[in-house]
Amino acid sequence: MNDAMTLSQRADALEAKMSSELDYIVIKSRLYSMAEADMSPAPNAGQIMAKNPKARVLMGDDPRLPEMPAKPTLIDFFHYRFGPCMHLLQSARHAVKGGLSDKMVLACLLHDISTMGLIRGDHGYWGAQLVEPYVDEEVTWAIRAHQALRFYPDESVGYEYPASYVKTFGADYRPDDYVEADYKRMRDHKWYMSGRMITVHDIYSFDPNVHVELEEFTDVIGRNFRQPKEGLGFDNSPVAHMWRAMIRPAKYL
Ligand SMILES: [Fe+2]
Ligand SMILES: [Fe+2]
């Protein structure tokens, strides 16, 4: 580069050089753009490619993300997609100490996988759907139920409205009507207490000093999660595409 260039000219030149050398173009899903309050039209792949003829839009693995095995297991998702998930591990250990059944320990281990890997809003519903083909029906039901039950106290098991919610959502926050309606339905369900147990063992006050290894739950997963032999995302299940969305979150089409 020319020594006479200013710092910002150098940065621009470097960026131009990099983008002309980059062999892939990432175009975000509209959902991500809307989360940035960006309602502008989706980027035009043709226009971007015109500036950078060697590049292609991303249709395969994203080189910026950890590579996943061809037939990913649930444990692979924990390692390569869910990121630090100490909250789930701490909740599951808490459930073991509380004497919960094997499958309910799994429910605690999985209850927030949607916030870890897919989407936050309505995460209980998304998370339940993700695991539905692979776990006992009660596990799915409980994960779905924790979404609503977490907002409502149950004195019989010492569950109070989380103090952290008052701080996080404001003292005047009230759950949406559909959450309230689901809570009322779930209250009378035969598996109510299973869903409630997830909220009881949900560690709202994350303890940075408690370290739990996923390996502690390898056997629980093995006994209670029907890992598809083709790998999650490739077993032709009704939710396979949802797992694939986590494998390749920026796939163009
Ligand atoms: Fe949750
Ligand atoms: Fe949680």
Side-chain angles (χ1 to χ4, degrees):
M1 280 180 211
N2 187 336
D3 280 349
M5 284 171 123
T6 66
L7 201 59
S8 92
Q9 282 171 331
R10 277 169 190 265
D12 288 347
L14 186 64
E15 199 177 310
K17 182 169 180 283
M18 278 170 66
S19 74
S20 65
E21 285 172 357
L22 207 64
D23 56 2
Y24 62 94
I25 296 164
V26 178
I27 294 177
K28 285 191 242 172
S29 280
R30 193 64 189 275
L31 192 60
Y32 309 142
S33 308
M34 286 194 292
E36 305 283 353
D38 176 4
M39 292 298 291
S40 57
N44 183 305
Q47 282 174 2
I48 297 174
M49 289 176 72
K51 286 186 217 150
N52 186 7
K54 280 190 251 164
R56 295 288 177 268
V57 293
L58 199 56
M59 287 297 281
D61 290 336
D62 190 331
R64 303 165 304 169
L65 294 176
E67 194 177 338
M68 291 207 70
K71 297 177 180 178
T73 64
L74 178 64
I75 288 175
D76 290 326
F77 275 90
F78 268 89
H79 285 315
Y80 303 121
R81 287 298 181 269
F82 298 161
C85 45
M86 207 42 71
H87 167 67
L88 291 179
L89 299 172
Q90 287 184 2
S91 288
R93 183 186 273 178
H94 201 265
V96 171
K97 288 189 173 157
L100 255 56
S101 69
D102 215 38
K103 68 179 173 189
M104 284 311 299
V105 171
L106 181 79
C108 290
L109 182 68
L110 300 181
H111 77 278
D112 282 341
I113 58 169
S114 180
T115 53
M116 307 286 171
L118 190 61
I119 194 164
R120 296 194 65 88
D122 279 338
H123 72 283
Y125 302 93
W126 287 99
Q129 195 176 358
L130 276 170
V131 301
E132 192 155 23
Y134 315 111
V135 297
D136 189 278
E137 204 183 338
E138 186 177 349
V139 172
T140 308
W141 194 92
I143 292 175
R144 184 174 291 118
H146 101 275
Q147 169 82 46
L149 300 185
R150 64 219 307 275
F151 295 106
Y152 301 91
D154 182 342
E155 282 174 20
S156 77
V157 290
Y159 180 82
E160 296 172 345
Y161 183 79
S164 62
Y165 284 7
V166 178
K167 197 172 168 202
T168 317
F169 309 137
D172 57 352
Y173 175 76
R174 295 289 171 273
D176 291 304
D177 289 348
Y178 70 89
V179 172
E180 174 103 13
D182 255 0
Y183 164 64
K184 286 179 178 161
R185 269 193 295 273
M186 288 165 171
R187 227 172 20 181
D188 300 322
H189 195 277
K190 62 177 174 178
W191 287 330
Y192 164 77
M193 202 41 84
S194 303
R196 173 54 70 194
M197 279 301 119
I198 294 184
T199 68
V200 168
H201 296 284
D202 212 341
I203 308 294
Y204 292 99
S205 50
F206 173 73
D207 184 346
N209 297 315
V210 176
H211 186 80
V212 185
E213 293 288 342
L214 180 61
E215 283 64 34
E216 207 170 302
F217 304 102
T218 308
D219 291 346
V220 171
I221 293 171
R223 286 191 293 268
N224 297 284
F225 190 88
R226 293 184 290 273
Q227 172 65 44
K229 63 180 186 322
E230 304 89 344
L232 287 164
F234 306 102
D235 59 342
N236 196 34
S237 84
V239 301
H241 61 287
M242 294 167 65
W243 292 89
R244 292 197 300 268
M246 294 189 283
I247 297 171
R248 294 174 170 176
K251 190 164 186 259
Y252 183 60
L253 286 180

